Amino acid sequence: MNSSDDVWKAKNALREYAGARRRLAHRMTGPGAGVRAADHFLANIPVAPGAVISGYWPIRDEFDDMAILRRMSLAGYLCALPYVDKKRHVLVFREWQPGTAMIAGPFQIPEPTEAAPEVTPSILLTPLLAYDSAGFRLGYGGGYYDGALAALRAAGGPVLAVGTAFTEQMVERVPHTAKDEQLDWIVTERGAMPFESKNSQESE
């Protein structure tokens, strides 16, 4: 890719294909995919004592990460869900546990109310349309998760970016620029895989 404009065009071209592929995977895999992914998460992801895990509320055919959040909450970890701060165009994270009061956010996605305290996640579960073997993810184009990850990493605290997806969402290459944040792990219904990203290299 020769420019950010080329990358933007390539991403948009890939989104239609990736979206169709995810819809098919959602239909074919069935409702147990999230539960199996939770097993793989617990068996593989290094979760430090006191870690704060943020997930996302799945909509339409997004991979369901809520089994992971429920099990981590049950195990005593502080969990969170994001909400969209439209004025600042950023994601902020509010504490969540089963039974937390929810409201519809700007994109009609359920999110905790203002009564829930804001927290800083150390593990961030991220939705995606596609991912590749280098740990790059294809999102929806809003830049919210890339921005959140960049801010968390720049703050210097430990943060793991864990993509949750169907195995069939893997593609040969996700177009990217230097502004695209890499994942540290991918967790699917079939297993978990770490990535050797520039973030892990810089922390060594």
Side-chain angles (χ1 to χ4, degrees):
M1 296 295 165
N2 297 321
S3 70
S4 58
D5 187 55
D6 290 335
V7 173
W8 181 80
K9 291 177 181 177
K11 283 184 177 181
N12 278 341
L14 182 57
R15 282 190 181 102
E16 184 175 354
Y17 166 78
R21 193 165 173 174
R22 190 178 69 178
R23 287 190 293 273
L24 178 61
H26 183 266
R27 291 197 300 269
M28 298 296 292
T29 307
V35 174
R36 296 194 294 276
D39 291 337
H40 298 308
F41 179 94
L42 292 171
N44 291 279
I45 305 300
V47 182
V52 179
I53 300 96
S54 178
Y56 58 90
W57 192 278
I59 60 172
R60 297 185 294 274
D61 47 35
E62 285 183 335
F63 192 89
D64 189 351
D65 67 324
M66 293 304 291
I68 297 174
L69 275 195
R70 286 190 291 267
R71 286 171 70 169
M72 298 307 291
S73 179
L74 186 62
Y77 287 93
L78 182 63
C79 295
L81 287 172
Y83 75 93
V84 177
D85 185 329
K86 291 193 72 176
K87 289 184 179 179
R88 293 186 292 156
H89 193 71
V90 296
L91 288 182
V92 185
F93 304 91
R94 288 179 177 152
E95 187 175 333
W96 173 90
Q97 60 183 332
T100 291
M102 306 285 283
I103 58 172
F107 300 108
Q108 300 305 305
I109 300 172
E111 57 188 38
T113 69
E114 292 183 359
E118 291 186 10
V119 298
T120 301
S122 49
I123 296 178
L124 186 59
L125 306 179
T126 66
L128 51 89
L129 283 166
Y131 67 95
D132 64 20
S133 61
F136 287 101
R137 61 178 284 276
L138 179 69
Y140 305 120
Y144 285 101
Y145 277 93
D146 283 322
L149 277 171
L152 289 168
R153 287 167 170 161
V159 58
L160 278 181
V162 181
T164 52
F166 300 103
T167 303
E168 294 300 322
Q169 288 178 252
M170 186 174 183
V171 297
E172 184 175 351
R173 184 181 183 277
V174 172
H176 60 271
T177 70
K179 293 183 178 180
D180 291 299
E181 295 289 321
Q182 286 171 273
L183 300 170
D184 297 297
W185 285 82
I186 190 75
V187 175
T188 74
E189 79 283 5
R190 297 185 189 172
M193 179 173 67
F195 299 112
E196 187 65 28
S197 70
K198 63 181 180 181
N199 307 298
S200 61
Q201 294 167 6
E202 290 170 355
S203 65
E204 291 175 356

